[in-house]
PDB file of all heavy atoms in Angstrom:
ATOM      1  N   HIS J1143    -146.636 -48.322 -66.816  1.00 97.00           N
ATOM      2  CA  HIS J1143    -145.444 -47.740 -66.200  1.00 97.00           C
ATOM      3  C   HIS J1143    -145.850 -46.781 -65.091  1.00 97.00           C
ATOM      4  O   HIS J1143    -146.904 -46.145 -65.168  1.00 97.00           O
ATOM      5  CB  HIS J1143    -144.620 -46.979 -67.256  1.00 97.00           C
ATOM      6  CG  HIS J1143    -143.750 -47.875 -68.118  1.00 97.00           C
ATOM      7  ND1 HIS J1143    -142.568 -48.400 -67.660  1.00 97.00           N
ATOM      8  CD2 HIS J1143    -143.938 -48.339 -69.367  1.00 97.00           C
ATOM      9  CE1 HIS J1143    -142.044 -49.151 -68.619  1.00 97.00           C
ATOM     10  NE2 HIS J1143    -142.846 -49.137 -69.659  1.00 97.00           N
ATOM     11  N   ILE J1144    -145.000 -46.711 -64.044  1.00 97.00           N
ATOM     12  CA  ILE J1144    -145.357 -45.824 -62.896  1.00 97.00           C
ATOM     13  C   ILE J1144    -144.444 -44.603 -62.869  1.00 97.00           C
ATOM     14  O   ILE J1144    -144.427 -43.869 -61.883  1.00 97.00           O
ATOM     15  CB  ILE J1144    -145.291 -46.603 -61.571  1.00 97.00           C
ATOM     16  CG1 ILE J1144    -143.901 -47.237 -61.407  1.00 97.00           C
ATOM     17  CG2 ILE J1144    -146.403 -47.631 -61.509  1.00 97.00           C
ATOM     18  CD1 ILE J1144    -143.674 -47.823 -60.027  1.00 97.00           C
ATOM     19  N   SER J1145    -143.683 -44.395 -63.968  1.00 97.00           N
ATOM     20  CA  SER J1145    -142.859 -43.193 -64.077  1.00 97.00           C
ATOM     21  C   SER J1145    -142.686 -42.879 -65.579  1.00 97.00           C
ATOM     22  O   SER J1145    -143.254 -43.564 -66.423  1.00 97.00           O
ATOM     23  CB  SER J1145    -141.534 -43.414 -63.383  1.00 97.00           C
ATOM     24  OG  SER J1145    -140.817 -42.200 -63.312  1.00 97.00           O
ATOM     25  N   THR J1146    -141.898 -41.855 -65.871  1.00 97.00           N
ATOM     26  CA  THR J1146    -141.709 -41.417 -67.258  1.00 97.00           C
ATOM     27  C   THR J1146    -141.260 -42.563 -68.144  1.00 97.00           C
ATOM     28  O   THR J1146    -140.330 -43.316 -67.799  1.00 97.00           O
ATOM     29  CB  THR J1146    -140.646 -40.301 -67.316  1.00 97.00           C
ATOM     30  OG1 THR J1146    -141.058 -39.250 -66.472  1.00 97.00           O
ATOM     31  CG2 THR J1146    -140.436 -39.776 -68.719  1.00 97.00           C
ATOM     32  N   VAL J1147    -141.907 -42.703 -69.318  1.00 98.00           N
ATOM     33  CA  VAL J1147    -141.491 -43.725 -70.313  1.00 98.00           C
ATOM     34  C   VAL J1147    -140.378 -43.103 -71.136  1.00 98.00           C
ATOM     35  O   VAL J1147    -140.545 -42.064 -71.779  1.00 98.00           O
ATOM     36  CB  VAL J1147    -142.695 -44.126 -71.201  1.00 98.00           C
ATOM     37  CG1 VAL J1147    -142.254 -45.214 -72.180  1.00 98.00           C
ATOM     38  CG2 VAL J1147    -143.854 -44.590 -70.339  1.00 98.00           C
ATOM     39  N   ARG J1148    -139.184 -43.727 -71.138  1.00 97.00           N
ATOM     40  CA  ARG J1148    -138.021 -43.144 -71.794  1.00 97.00           C
ATOM     41  C   ARG J1148    -137.661 -43.808 -73.111  1.00 97.00           C
ATOM     42  O   ARG J1148    -136.892 -43.272 -73.878  1.00 97.00           O
ATOM     43  CB  ARG J1148    -136.799 -43.210 -70.851  1.00 97.00           C
ATOM     44  CG  ARG J1148    -136.911 -42.291 -69.653  1.00 97.00           C
ATOM     45  CD  ARG J1148    -136.865 -40.836 -70.081  1.00 97.00           C
ATOM     46  NE  ARG J1148    -135.561 -40.455 -70.605  1.00 97.00           N
ATOM     47  CZ  ARG J1148    -134.611 -39.864 -69.926  1.00 97.00           C
ATOM     48  NH1 ARG J1148    -134.802 -39.559 -68.644  1.00 97.00           N
ATOM     49  NH2 ARG J1148    -133.480 -39.538 -70.479  1.00 97.00           N
ATOM     50  N   GLY J1149    -138.201 -44.998 -73.386  1.00 98.00           N
ATOM     51  CA  GLY J1149    -137.812 -45.662 -74.640  1.00 98.00           C
ATOM     52  C   GLY J1149    -138.928 -46.596 -75.113  1.00 98.00           C
ATOM     53  O   GLY J1149    -139.533 -47.291 -74.291  1.00 98.00           O
ATOM     54  N   VAL J1150    -139.183 -46.597 -76.430  1.00 98.00           N
ATOM     55  CA  VAL J1150    -140.129 -47.541 -77.023  1.00 98.00           C
ATOM     56  C   VAL J1150    -139.516 -48.050 -78.335  1.00 98.00           C
ATOM     57  O   VAL J1150    -138.797 -47.326 -79.021  1.00 98.00           O
ATOM     58  CB  VAL J1150    -141.523 -46.908 -77.338  1.00 98.00           C
ATOM     59  CG1 VAL J1150    -142.302 -46.696 -76.061  1.00 98.00           C
ATOM     60  CG2 VAL J1150    -141.391 -45.612 -78.118  1.00 98.00           C
ATOM     61  N   ILE J1151    -139.823 -49.297 -78.665  1.00 97.00           N
ATOM     62  CA  ILE J1151    -139.399 -49.859 -79.957  1.00 97.00           C
ATOM     63  C   ILE J1151    -140.353 -50.988 -80.313  1.00 97.00           C
ATOM     64  O   ILE J1151    -140.850 -51.719 -79.454  1.00 97.00           O
ATOM     65  CB  ILE J1151    -137.925 -50.354 -79.921  1.00 97.00           C
ATOM     66  CG1 ILE J1151    -137.481 -50.722 -81.320  1.00 97.00           C
ATOM     67  CG2 ILE J1151    -137.734 -51.489 -78.941  1.00 97.00           C
ATOM     68  CD1 ILE J1151    -135.974 -50.823 -81.480  1.00 97.00           C
ATOM     69  N   VAL J1152    -140.657 -51.096 -81.630  1.00 97.00           N
ATOM     70  CA  VAL J1152    -141.552 -52.125 -82.132  1.00 97.00           C
ATOM     71  C   VAL J1152    -140.714 -53.176 -82.830  1.00 97.00           C
ATOM     72  O   VAL J1152    -139.861 -52.852 -83.678  1.00 97.00           O
ATOM     73  CB  VAL J1152    -142.606 -51.526 -83.101  1.00 97.00           C
ATOM     74  CG1 VAL J1152    -143.629 -52.592 -83.490  1.00 97.00           C
ATOM     75  CG2 VAL J1152    -143.275 -50.322 -82.488  1.00 97.00           C
ATOM     76  N   SER J1153    -140.968 -54.437 -82.519  1.00 96.00           N
ATOM     77  CA  SER J1153    -140.184 -55.542 -83.113  1.00 96.00           C
ATOM     78  C   SER J1153    -140.643 -55.792 -84.543  1.00 96.00           C
ATOM     79  O   SER J1153    -141.828 -55.762 -84.851  1.00 96.00           O
ATOM     80  CB  SER J1153    -140.347 -56.802 -82.301  1.00 96.00           C
ATOM     81  OG  SER J1153    -139.762 -57.905 -82.951  1.00 96.00           O
ATOM     82  N   ALA J1154    -139.672 -56.057 -85.411  1.00 94.00           N
ATOM     83  CA  ALA J1154    -139.975 -56.413 -86.799  1.00 94.00           C
ATOM     84  C   ALA J1154    -140.120 -57.919 -86.940  1.00 94.00           C
ATOM     85  O   ALA J1154    -140.583 -58.423 -87.970  1.00 94.00           O
ATOM     86  CB  ALA J1154    -138.858 -55.926 -87.725  1.00 94.00           C
ATOM     87  N   ARG J1155    -139.756 -58.658 -85.913  1.00 91.00           N
ATOM     88  CA  ARG J1155    -139.747 -60.143 -85.977  1.00 91.00           C
ATOM     89  C   ARG J1155    -140.953 -60.754 -85.272  1.00 91.00           C
ATOM     90  O   ARG J1155    -141.225 -61.947 -85.449  1.00 91.00           O
ATOM     91  CB  ARG J1155    -138.471 -60.681 -85.347  1.00 91.00           C
ATOM     92  CG  ARG J1155    -137.202 -60.224 -86.105  1.00 91.00           C
ATOM     93  CD  ARG J1155    -135.946 -60.420 -85.269  1.00 91.00           C
ATOM     94  NE  ARG J1155    -135.750 -61.799 -84.824  1.00 91.00           N
ATOM     95  CZ  ARG J1155    -135.217 -62.760 -85.575  1.00 91.00           C
ATOM     96  NH1 ARG J1155    -134.813 -62.480 -86.774  1.00 91.00           N
ATOM     97  NH2 ARG J1155    -135.072 -63.974 -85.107  1.00 91.00           N
ATOM     98  N   SER J1156    -141.641 -59.971 -84.427  1.00 92.00           N
ATOM     99  CA  SER J1156    -142.781 -60.510 -83.679  1.00 92.00           C
ATOM    100  C   SER J1156    -143.739 -59.369 -83.361  1.00 92.00           C
ATOM    101  O   SER J1156    -143.344 -58.214 -83.425  1.00 92.00           O
ATOM    102  CB  SER J1156    -142.271 -61.165 -82.375  1.00 92.00           C
ATOM    103  OG  SER J1156    -141.439 -60.287 -81.690  1.00 92.00           O
ATOM    104  N   PRO J1157    -145.008 -59.688 -83.002  1.00 93.00           N
ATOM    105  CA  PRO J1157    -145.969 -58.563 -82.742  1.00 93.00           C
ATOM    106  C   PRO J1157    -145.788 -57.992 -81.324  1.00 93.00           C
ATOM    107  O   PRO J1157    -146.737 -57.897 -80.573  1.00 93.00           O
ATOM    108  CB  PRO J1157    -147.316 -59.266 -82.901  1.00 93.00           C
ATOM    109  CG  PRO J1157    -147.067 -60.686 -82.465  1.00 93.00           C
ATOM    110  CD  PRO J1157    -145.648 -60.997 -82.867  1.00 93.00           C
ATOM    111  N   TYR J1158    -144.559 -57.608 -81.032  1.00 96.00           N
ATOM    112  CA  TYR J1158    -144.255 -57.113 -79.679  1.00 96.00           C
ATOM    113  C   TYR J1158    -143.818 -55.660 -79.710  1.00 96.00           C
ATOM    114  O   TYR J1158    -143.164 -55.210 -80.651  1.00 96.00           O
ATOM    115  CB  TYR J1158    -143.135 -57.962 -79.040  1.00 96.00           C
ATOM    116  CG  TYR J1158    -143.479 -59.404 -78.772  1.00 96.00           C
ATOM    117  CD1 TYR J1158    -142.469 -60.364 -78.715  1.00 96.00           C
ATOM    118  CD2 TYR J1158    -144.793 -59.802 -78.563  1.00 96.00           C
ATOM    119  CE1 TYR J1158    -142.764 -61.694 -78.472  1.00 96.00           C
ATOM    120  CE2 TYR J1158    -145.102 -61.119 -78.310  1.00 96.00           C
ATOM    121  CZ  TYR J1158    -144.091 -62.073 -78.267  1.00 96.00           C
ATOM    122  OH  TYR J1158    -144.399 -63.386 -78.024  1.00 96.00           O
ATOM    123  N   LEU J1159    -144.160 -54.974 -78.647  1.00 97.00           N
ATOM    124  CA  LEU J1159    -143.683 -53.608 -78.397  1.00 97.00           C
ATOM    125  C   LEU J1159    -142.892 -53.638 -77.087  1.00 97.00           C
ATOM    126  O   LEU J1159    -143.361 -54.201 -76.119  1.00 97.00           O
ATOM    127  CB  LEU J1159    -144.887 -52.653 -78.292  1.00 97.00           C
ATOM    128  CG  LEU J1159    -144.702 -51.305 -77.628  1.00 97.00           C
ATOM    129  CD1 LEU J1159    -143.841 -50.398 -78.482  1.00 97.00           C
ATOM    130  CD2 LEU J1159    -146.031 -50.634 -77.344  1.00 97.00           C
ATOM    131  N   PHE J1160    -141.716 -53.062 -77.084  1.00 98.00           N
ATOM    132  CA  PHE J1160    -140.905 -53.018 -75.871  1.00 98.00           C
ATOM    133  C   PHE J1160    -140.825 -51.580 -75.371  1.00 98.00           C
ATOM    134  O   PHE J1160    -140.743 -50.641 -76.192  1.00 98.00           O
ATOM    135  CB  PHE J1160    -139.488 -53.535 -76.163  1.00 98.00           C
ATOM    136  CG  PHE J1160    -139.471 -54.992 -76.546  1.00 98.00           C
ATOM    137  CD1 PHE J1160    -139.623 -55.389 -77.864  1.00 98.00           C
ATOM    138  CD2 PHE J1160    -139.301 -55.983 -75.569  1.00 98.00           C
ATOM    139  CE1 PHE J1160    -139.602 -56.724 -78.210  1.00 98.00           C
ATOM    140  CE2 PHE J1160    -139.282 -57.326 -75.918  1.00 98.00           C
ATOM    141  CZ  PHE J1160    -139.439 -57.703 -77.241  1.00 98.00           C
ATOM    142  N   SER J1161    -140.870 -51.423 -74.055  1.00 98.00           N
ATOM    143  CA  SER J1161    -140.792 -50.086 -73.497  1.00 98.00           C
ATOM    144  C   SER J1161    -139.938 -50.127 -72.226  1.00 98.00           C
ATOM    145  O   SER J1161    -139.807 -51.165 -71.589  1.00 98.00           O
ATOM    146  CB  SER J1161    -142.188 -49.556 -73.137  1.00 98.00           C
ATOM    147  OG  SER J1161    -142.769 -50.360 -72.110  1.00 98.00           O
ATOM    148  N   CYS J1162    -139.365 -48.967 -71.892  1.00 98.00           N
ATOM    149  CA  CYS J1162    -138.574 -48.865 -70.687  1.00 98.00           C
ATOM    150  C   CYS J1162    -138.823 -47.474 -70.062  1.00 98.00           C
ATOM    151  O   CYS J1162    -139.252 -46.570 -70.787  1.00 98.00           O
ATOM    152  CB  CYS J1162    -137.091 -49.092 -70.940  1.00 98.00           C
ATOM    153  SG  CYS J1162    -136.350 -47.823 -71.997  1.00 98.00           S
ATOM    154  N   GLY J1163    -138.514 -47.324 -68.802  1.00 97.00           N
ATOM    155  CA  GLY J1163    -138.815 -46.058 -68.163  1.00 97.00           C
ATOM    156  C   GLY J1163    -137.956 -45.784 -66.951  1.00 97.00           C
ATOM    157  O   GLY J1163    -137.074 -46.574 -66.571  1.00 97.00           O
ATOM    158  N   GLU J1164    -138.250 -44.636 -66.315  1.00 97.00           N
ATOM    159  CA  GLU J1164    -137.503 -44.216 -65.131  1.00 97.00           C
ATOM    160  C   GLU J1164    -137.900 -45.008 -63.879  1.00 97.00           C
ATOM    161  O   GLU J1164    -137.358 -44.804 -62.815  1.00 97.00           O
ATOM    162  CB  GLU J1164    -137.680 -42.717 -64.912  1.00 97.00           C
ATOM    163  CG  GLU J1164    -136.997 -41.895 -66.000  1.00 97.00           C
ATOM    164  CD  GLU J1164    -137.152 -40.376 -65.820  1.00 97.00           C
ATOM    165  OE1 GLU J1164    -137.689 -39.971 -64.772  1.00 97.00           O
ATOM    166  OE2 GLU J1164    -136.718 -39.654 -66.715  1.00 97.00           O
ATOM    167  N   ASP J1165    -138.875 -45.918 -64.035  1.00 97.00           N
ATOM    168  CA  ASP J1165    -139.268 -46.790 -62.907  1.00 97.00           C
ATOM    169  C   ASP J1165    -138.429 -48.078 -62.892  1.00 97.00           C
ATOM    170  O   ASP J1165    -138.819 -49.042 -62.227  1.00 97.00           O
ATOM    171  CB  ASP J1165    -140.769 -47.123 -63.004  1.00 97.00           C
ATOM    172  CG  ASP J1165    -141.161 -47.637 -64.393  1.00 97.00           C
ATOM    173  OD1 ASP J1165    -140.238 -47.955 -65.190  1.00 97.00           O
ATOM    174  OD2 ASP J1165    -142.368 -47.738 -64.673  1.00 97.00           O
TER     175      ASP J1165
END
Side-chain angles (χ1 to χ4, degrees):
H1143 280 282
I1144 56 171
S1145 190
T1146 303
V1147 182
R1148 290 293 293 263
V1150 286
I1151 189 164
V1152 186
S1153 172
R1155 297 163 58 82
S1156 51
Y1158 295 154
L1159 162 69
F1160 295 88
S1161 65
C1162 64
E1164 292 181 6
D1165 51 11

